[in-house]
Amino acid sequence: MVTLEPDVTTTRVRARAALIRSGLFAGIAAGIPLFVVLYWLSIEQGSWQRVLLAQGVYVAIFAVLVARHNAVFVEVTPTTITKQAFFASHVMARADVAALYLADVHHSSTPDVIPQLVAFDSRGRRL
């Protein structure tokens, strides 16, 4: 169990950069052959502008995903705990938190252990 001391300064933890790197590599690896083939087929027909537009949308989607990933954090202040997820934000008062646990979570695809912070209220409900 993790203890919360009232005089602790603000602590902010951001998402791991390795996650977004893996996603970007996957997007690039999928996009290069796809758009090479689409350009190759569309240049003869003169419709390469549509492929360029589709590629622009593809890149814009990844740019939004990177921006949202960089905005993800968990912050503990003397009065609040803030969780800024990919799309939503949740703020709770530290007085509402009865217990904090740091759980080691195993992912199925790797042997690595990833710590997860879990908060519970006085009735044992997960916050």
Side-chain angles (χ1 to χ4, degrees):
M1 183 158 104
V2 179
T3 58
L4 291 176
E5 298 174 20
D7 60 341
V8 172
T9 60
T10 299
T11 302
R12 181 179 279 200
V13 179
R14 296 201 170 272
R16 295 183 332 169
L19 295 174
I20 197 65
R21 270 196 309 268
S22 297
L24 284 174
F25 289 149
I28 291 169
I32 288 175
L34 172 69
F35 287 107
V36 165
V37 169
L38 287 175
Y39 279 117
W40 180 52
L41 294 173
S42 66
I43 286 177
E44 287 182 4
Q45 298 172 352
S47 60
W48 62 270
Q49 294 92 350
R50 292 183 195 162
V51 176
L52 182 64
L53 178 65
Q55 186 177 13
V57 170
Y58 187 80
V59 169
I61 289 171
F62 269 93
V64 169
L65 292 176
V66 168
R68 292 304 310 152
H69 179 271
N70 288 336
V72 170
F73 67 88
V74 173
E75 181 178 72
V76 179
T77 68
T79 57
T80 62
I81 298 175
T82 304
K83 175 186 170 187
Q84 174 61 53
F86 205 73
F87 292 112
S89 179
H90 182 61
V91 180
M92 67 184 92
R94 276 185 55 179
D96 295 342
V97 178
L100 279 177
Y101 292 96
L102 192 59
D104 291 331
V105 178
H106 295 273
H107 280 258
S108 61
S109 60
T110 68
D112 299 336
V113 176
I114 299 173
Q116 298 286 321
L117 186 64
V118 185
F120 293 95
D121 65 7
S122 60
R123 290 187 271 174
R125 291 184 302 175
R126 186 175 57 88
L127 297 172

